[in-house]
Amino acid sequence: MNKAVIVSKKAPTEKVVLTDAKASFATKAAGPAYVVLAGISFSHFLNDTMQSLIASVYPILKDNYALDFAQIGLITLAFQFTASLLQPMVGHFTDKKAQPFSLSIGMGSTFFGLLLLSIAHHYVVILIAAAMIGLGSAVFHPESARIARLASGGRYGFAQSVFQLGGSFGTSMGPVLAALIVVPFGQGSIAWFSSIAFIAIVLLWRIGLWYKPQITARKTAPIAPEAHGQSRGTVLLALGVLVLLLFSKQLYVASLSSYYIFYLIDRFGVSTQAAQIHLFVFLAANAVGAFFGGPLGDRFGRRIVIWLSIVGALPFTLALPYAGLAASAVLSVIIGLIISSTTSSIIVFAQELVPHRFGMISGVFFGVAFGIGGLGAAVLGKVADYTSIEFVYQVCAFLPAIGLFAVFLPKLPQHAR
């Protein structure tokens, strides 16, 4: 029971060993290290709870500072573009040298960003605060995704789903917390959520203490791109397709995350708090779908899950702009369950295509997700200013059709599918 269990040999410059006898978080047998997965998933929950507050307080910022939809979109862009720009660089750096305590240090940026957002009275300061929270996200995701994979015990889809589950539920909690706390008590109450950031800093530091002894730096030969039977050209094509699929999925989710509240208020005349509850329902469905997508990919193959999850949402997204309030709530749940199940499969598929650049690939795909959401939110906000929120949702309804490009994804060997 005290033997070292080698979990990953994929990094080109380091060998990561999971020593279960000495690590207080490690499991005592081969297979997933459930306590580690729970810890990193809970950290993801805390991280994304704080991030989701930004979109959830948009109505308050819009009213307080007379912002238009384009300015709202730029706030999302400032937050998500920071994460998008830095995540691949963070992943590339940690591929060469793992940084076990970078997670808690990055969370410090989120801590100060929340405090700044709570006292911001100028639009530029709001943008800076959003960018600081985005910086914390950029540092968090690549290395925490690596830890989740180390603790997977070979069940990579399952581990990625557990990791995504924490983030998805954290995202869904933002609107609820905003409705219960920020709306009644105002912008200054955002500072209260810095306590969540402090808890995350302590937890991530503790995980760093577990992670550090597991890292033994050794030079190993890079894994050939043909290790999974695919040529370099096929790998590049597949990565391009995966980015395109993530574009369709993430832009649609961004359209609901950033503007669904305004859509419900404008079309159905509901209150801000009621609209935030509807947004929570959609985001909670996203969380559930994200959890089940990974194990389904482990069982049936990631390619088929990717194909079905994106295209399968198309009939429901097409119906949403024409549905009533109750039907919109039902459709949003169905859409969330289906479309979010692809996230884990896309990320793990990409990691298996380029296993010797795990951190960089994780950073690129997490970064692309954030960047697409930010850029898309800004563009959609501008379109909404010139047309209407309803028109935006009529156009975005066709985005899942891009999932048809999944037909170009290669079939990976059964052990890495």
Side-chain angles (χ1 to χ4, degrees), residues 12 106 131 134-135 149 151 179 201 204 228 269 271 357-358 374 377 385 391:
L135 175 62
R149 188 174 178 93
I201 290 171
L204 289 171
H228 40 58
S271 67
R357 290 289 184 266
F358 172 77
D385 284 333
F391 176 78

Side-chain angles (χ1 to χ4, degrees), residues 167-181:
S168 298
F169 267 118
T171 300
S172 70
M173 285 303 297
V176 176
L177 295 176
L180 296 178
I181 298 175

Side-chain angles (χ1 to χ4, degrees), residues 65-280:
Y65 304 106
L67 304 180
D68 57 30
F69 286 120
Q71 289 174 308
I72 292 293
L74 286 175
I75 296 174
T76 302
L77 179 62
F79 159 60
Q80 295 190 354
F81 183 74
T82 305
S84 175
L85 181 67
L86 293 181
Q87 280 198 48
M89 292 187 287
V90 172
H92 177 68
F93 178 75
T94 55
D95 275 336
K96 295 182 177 181
K97 185 176 181 181
Q99 301 292 322
F101 299 109
S102 62
L103 298 176
S104 56
I105 295 172
M107 191 60 65
S109 178
T110 301
F111 176 84
F112 289 110
L114 287 170
L115 291 177
L116 185 61
L117 184 61
S118 69
I119 61 173
H121 296 296
H122 299 282
Y123 182 66
V124 173
V125 180
I126 294 174
L127 292 177
I128 293 172
M132 290 183 67
I133 297 173
L135 175 62
S137 175
V139 176
F140 176 81
H141 283 98
E143 195 72 339
S144 58
R146 185 194 304 276
I147 292 175
R149 188 174 178 93
L150 284 174
S152 69
R155 296 176 61 189
Y156 302 128
F158 169 77
Q160 186 63 223
S161 286
V162 172
F163 176 66
Q164 292 292 335
L165 178 66
S168 298
F169 267 118
T171 300
S172 70
M173 285 303 297
V176 176
L177 295 176
L180 296 178
I181 298 175
V182 182
V183 171
F185 298 102
Q187 181 182 345
S189 63
I190 296 174
W192 301 351
F193 295 98
S194 62
S195 60
I196 298 178
F198 180 77
I199 294 172
I201 290 171
V202 174
L203 178 58
L204 289 171
W205 186 268
R206 184 66 187 87
I207 290 176
L209 292 175
W210 167 82
Y211 184 30
K212 185 178 180 180
Q214 322 311 322
I215 303 167
T216 56
R218 290 185 188 175
K219 280 202 168 186
T220 60
I223 297 175
E226 293 78 14
H228 40 58
Q230 307 297 331
S231 67
R232 178 179 177 84
T234 301
V235 169
L236 292 176
L237 175 62
L239 290 175
V241 170
L242 290 172
V243 169
L244 187 62
L245 298 180
L246 195 61
F247 167 82
S248 67
K249 180 261 181 187
Q250 193 63 27
L251 183 56
Y252 186 82
V253 172
S255 73
L256 266 72
S257 299
S258 295
Y259 301 110
Y260 193 45
I261 290 175
F262 299 110
Y263 170 77
L264 294 174
I265 293 173
D266 289 347
R267 183 170 182 190
F268 302 111
V270 301
S271 67
T272 298
Q273 288 176 307
Q276 286 170 329
I277 297 300
H278 278 269
L279 179 58
F280 163 74

Side-chain angles (χ1 to χ4, degrees), residues 42-54 56 114 166-175 177 193 196:
F42 183 63
S43 301
H44 201 187
F45 167 80
L46 298 177
N47 180 77
D48 285 20
T49 295
M50 293 176 289
Q51 292 178 38
S52 66
L53 283 173
I54 295 178
S56 300
L114 287 170
S168 298
F169 267 118
T171 300
S172 70
M173 285 303 297
L177 295 176
F193 295 98
I196 298 178

Side-chain angles (χ1 to χ4, degrees), residues 285 289 308-313 316 333-342:
L308 293 177
S309 62
I310 298 182
V311 179
F316 305 102
V333 170
I334 297 173
I335 292 168
L337 288 171
I338 296 175
I339 203 168
S340 64
S341 62
T342 191

